[in-house]
Amino acid sequence: MIVQRVVLNSRPGKNGNPVAENFRVEEVNLPDNINEGQVQVRTLYLSVDPYMRCRMNEDTGTDYITPWQLSQVVDGGGIGIIEESKHANFTKGDFVISFYWPWQTKVILDGNILEKADPQLVDGHLSYLLGAVGMPGLTSLIGIQEKGHIIAGSNQTMVVSGAAGACGSLAGQIGHLMGCSRVVGICGTHEKCLLLTSELGFDAAINYKKGNVAEQLRELCPAGVDVYFDNVGGDISDAVISQMNQNSHIILCGQISQYNKDVPYPPPLSLAVEAIRKERNITRERFLVLNYKDKFESGILQLSQWFKEGKLKIKETMINGLENMGAAFQSMMTGGNIGKQIVCISEDTSL
């Protein structure tokens, strides 16, 4: 059977901006038979995420993410349906999920890398298991629980950068749900600002491309900032940190403004901002959600419950077609998405 797949066509270089042409689509032959322990799956949804930028380099700079190889199939978060199984845990028709899902229309996988996906957790919206009720949701929830130090009823102000993205759009809502009295988002378009305040419950939003971020923060956070959920790093974070209170906390989720630069992760703060951080005893510890696997199950159940109760609004940007993986990745890296960026490969769940 002929199937389509996406391979890494070229590397953008450690200081380059990724483009759609870094990826290419090709056809390959899928074997007719599967071996013991394997399953054949049809891909339904694939995820593109900022961390993947590191995988485009020969050296990812981390020990827990491996680089993609040139002319080899690219992989990441994915969901599909089993068409044939020779693995004891799975039967035909099961929905399954993996973080190492090849960007391919149909694929034969070792069943051991798969987990069953439960559509009931998301009222049948399977793609949400790659977003709000998946890793981005867990990253936001556990990050806030472990590093945010929110005390309900203590009038804390939270600021979220990258606030209209996969993690940011959830983090602001979770901040409110966990007891922050004020949540302010920073994003890059007027449309995103409106969405944050009208649909996602943010108290205010700042468009960093318009006007002075520091001035707007002073106006919108009169009592200073107690918790900062940081998705971007760079100048925006410098402006936020400068207005943080004594003994406040930074949740270091991501640094997308720095991902196209050859700098360590997390990137060091400038001397002036680091001096403020030390003087005010602001915590800025590296946060890696994979270190909290014992909290995943309860976290997913909490996110699912909030979603079903209407307390957690889920946004996603859906692009159709495997041939658009590269374009979806480029768009996500430049803020083209609202909420989670997902690529729909097939909506056909019939067998």
Side-chain angles (χ1 to χ4, degrees), residues 24-326:
R24 74 170 185 271
V25 179
E26 56 182 35
E27 292 191 334
V28 286
N29 203 16
L30 200 66
D32 292 329
N33 299 313
I34 63 172
N35 299 325
E36 273 315 306
Q38 290 184 326
V39 295
Q40 180 180 307
V41 291
R42 179 192 313 149
T43 306
L44 299 175
Y45 299 102
L46 294 172
S47 174
V48 290
D49 303 276
Y51 81 86
M52 292 174 167
R53 175 62 186 84
C54 312
R55 301 192 69 186
M56 298 182 82
N57 299 333
E58 272 178 85
D59 174 12
T60 63
T62 66
D63 48 8
Y64 61 92
I65 302 175
T66 55
W68 289 328
Q69 300 301 323
L70 287 170
S71 295
Q72 297 294 313
V73 68
V74 175
D75 68 325
I79 285 185
I81 187 168
I82 292 187
E83 296 187 321
E84 189 186 344
S85 173
K86 286 193 179 172
H87 190 286
N89 295 359
F90 303 108
T91 54
K92 186 174 172 174
D94 283 348
F95 292 109
V96 285
I97 189 166
S98 174
F99 299 121
Y100 306 103
W101 197 290
W103 290 8
Q104 196 163 307
T105 48
K106 293 190 181 194
V107 62
I108 292 170
L109 294 172
D110 176 349
N112 293 334
I113 72 160
L114 299 171
E115 283 179 46
K116 278 190 187 173
D118 181 1
Q120 288 186 320
L121 287 170
V122 285
D123 288 348
H125 292 274
L126 279 170
S127 57
Y128 290 178
L129 295 171
L130 293 173
V133 190
M135 282 312 273
L138 287 172
T139 301
S140 304
L141 175 63
I142 297 170
I144 291 168
Q145 285 174 335
E146 296 295 317
K147 304 290 185 184
H149 304 277
I150 293 171
I151 301 155
S154 60
N155 280 335
Q156 287 165 301
T157 296
M158 175 193 253
V159 170
V160 182
S161 57
C167 286
S169 62
L170 301 168
Q173 298 181 76
I174 292 168
H176 264 322
L177 286 165
M178 291 183 66
C180 278
S181 58
R182 186 162 180 78
V183 176
V184 176
I186 305 175
C187 55
T189 69
H190 178 63
E191 179 199 5
K192 289 177 180 178
C193 286
L194 274 178
L195 171 95
L196 294 182
T197 53
S198 66
E199 287 188 49
L200 303 186
F202 283 67
D203 298 286
I206 294 169
N207 178 352
Y208 70 84
K209 292 176 183 170
K210 289 267 167 76
N212 182 307
V213 173
E215 275 176 28
Q216 292 177 77
L217 274 170
R218 267 193 293 277
E219 201 178 303
L220 295 171
C221 306
V225 178
D226 302 294
V227 184
Y228 174 37
F229 194 95
D230 185 7
N231 285 299
V232 302
D235 295 343
I236 291 173
S237 288
D238 291 351
V240 179
I241 294 167
S242 301
Q243 297 189 38
M244 292 185 75
N245 293 326
Q246 195 72 27
N247 304 320
S248 55
H249 304 281
I250 298 168
I251 301 159
L252 206 52
C253 178
Q255 304 279 282
I256 198 168
S257 75
Q258 308 297 305
Y259 286 173
N260 296 327
K261 301 174 188 173
D262 187 10
V263 292
Y265 186 85
L269 296 169
S270 68
L271 290 174
V273 178
E274 178 61 18
I276 292 171
R277 189 197 68 74
K278 279 188 173 152
E279 185 188 316
R280 296 186 198 162
N281 191 34
I282 302 168
T283 61
R284 181 182 185 257
E285 298 161 351
R286 183 169 181 173
F287 168 69
L288 181 60
V289 72
L290 297 175
N291 291 340
Y292 298 91
K293 285 186 175 161
D294 58 316
K295 295 186 162 57
F296 281 14
E297 194 178 340
S298 60
I300 290 292
L301 290 173
Q302 176 65 84
L303 292 160
S304 169
Q305 184 185 335
W306 279 335
F307 161 61
K308 289 181 172 186
E309 290 171 352
K311 292 176 181 172
L312 192 66
K313 305 277 193 300
I314 299 178
K315 291 285 158 195
E316 64 179 7
T317 299
M318 185 81 77
I319 294 182
N320 289 314
L322 187 81
E323 69 280 5
N324 290 315
M325 290 300 296

